[in-house]
Amino acid sequence: MSILPKKNQLGFFEIRLESIGGLGANLAGKMLAEAGVLGLGLNGSNFSTYGSEKKGSPVKSYIRFCDPDTEIRAHSPIEEPHVIGVFHEALYKMVDVVSGLAPDGIVLVNSVRDFDDIRRDLQLDYGTLAVVDALGIAVEEKTKVNTAMLGALFRVCDFLDPEAMKEVIRKTFEKKYPHLVEANIRTFERGYHEVRFQTYEAPANAERKSFSRLEPLLGYETQEIGGIITANANSIFKDLSGSRQGFLPKWEMEKCIHCAACDTVCPDFCFVWEEGEDKKGRKQMFLKGIDYQYCKGCLKCVEACPTAALTECREEIGFAEKHTVKQKFPMVLGGNY
């Protein structure tokens, strides 16, 4: 008798993890598949897809389970998952994280917000929404987000054996990082017990969400002749806020001495300056604020600041929008300096 709660037409139970580089979704997918295969005797497979292998770039990890007598002959990305795990809730700004989800599917989100707020942002009409503060747990236990998310995923996928996962955690960490074994097991258990659920009933005629695949803006049919870039430095149009891993710099003007140490180490356009005069009437550039559109949360500025005017702050929804000071690029917009 199968222990899988549901299967698609090929006999697979499928899970898709949506994340950004640096949160450990790739490793989480490997450990999740290993626990199902070695712990329960299921057939399983795991692989990930991503662009540049760096922190902040979108990552997808796929896990397929099937009964022992079913062979896995499909190795394409999972487009119609039964369960989706969203490791970084702001990812919805860049990626349609719930595409392909069935009406009775389950979405697990790393967040501290209310169910209805998350549901609105994800445009989730129906299904089950699970929420866990994986980042908060990881910070308190000094571990990673992925272990807390694994705990919650095992609660979502109740056919899996949590004890098998704990054994995988021990095998994964005991050789290189033995001091992290117990902390990661605590993180896993907290994720398992602290996840919350809310179900939105689907009508009888509810349809699966359509799957969308990101296509490049420019290809051989749409590339301009000669490969011309019409606006130089076009990276100023990018929104890097989805790359942050839960933390950003907070600026206190009263402590700032406008030394520009922050701007020296910043890899992007985060710091906004304006010309002014000091107390003696000398011209000087003064820091006006931070444009959080370009902030990836690397926190190099916090390390460089000599006066603690910049401090590490856990990001809350709406904080960046409320405190951002926008950059001005008049040449790109058609104006003059």
Side-chain angles (χ1 to χ4, degrees), residues 6-65:
K6 59 186 74 171
K7 292 179 277 190
N8 62 17
Q9 64 273 24
L10 297 177
F12 303 146
F13 181 86
E14 298 183 322
I15 303 169
R16 188 174 74 223
L17 307 182
E18 301 274 1
S19 183
I20 60 174
L23 295 184
N26 189 19
L27 178 59
K30 292 178 181 178
M31 296 172 70
L32 183 58
E34 185 177 339
V37 172
L38 300 182
L40 297 175
L42 296 169
N43 277 344
S45 68
N46 158 254
F47 61 98
S48 300
T49 58
Y50 41 82
S52 54
E53 192 171 356
K54 63 181 181 181
K55 287 185 177 181
S57 57
V59 173
K60 296 180 186 289
S61 184
Y62 308 102
I63 304 97
R64 282 190 173 97
F65 289 122

Side-chain angles (χ1 to χ4, degrees), residues 73-87:
R73 296 182 179 275
H75 302 286
S76 59
I78 292 173
E79 298 184 351
E80 298 182 349
H82 298 97
V83 174
I84 296 174
V86 183
F87 282 49

Side-chain angles (χ1 to χ4, degrees), residues 17 108 192 230 279:
L17 307 182
L108 169 67
Y192 185 88
T230 55
K279 295 179 180 179

Side-chain angles (χ1 to χ4, degrees), residues 212-231:
S212 60
R213 181 182 290 109
L214 290 176
E215 298 291 342
L217 295 178
L218 298 177
Y220 76 97
E221 291 183 340
T222 55
Q223 176 68 53
E224 296 184 40
I225 296 176
I228 298 172
I229 298 177
T230 55

Side-chain angles (χ1 to χ4, degrees), residues 6 47 51 82-83 95-96 103-104 117 126 138 171 173 208 250 254-255 265 270 276 284 288 299 301-302 306 321 334:
K6 59 186 74 171
F47 61 98
H82 298 97
V83 174
V95 179
D96 183 6
D104 59 346
D117 291 338
Y126 26 72
K171 289 181 179 179
F173 291 100
R208 178 185 297 274
K250 179 181 179 182
E254 297 77 14
K255 297 181 181 179
V265 299
C270 296
Q284 182 181 330
K288 188 178 180 181
L299 302 179
C301 56
V302 174
E321 289 77 8

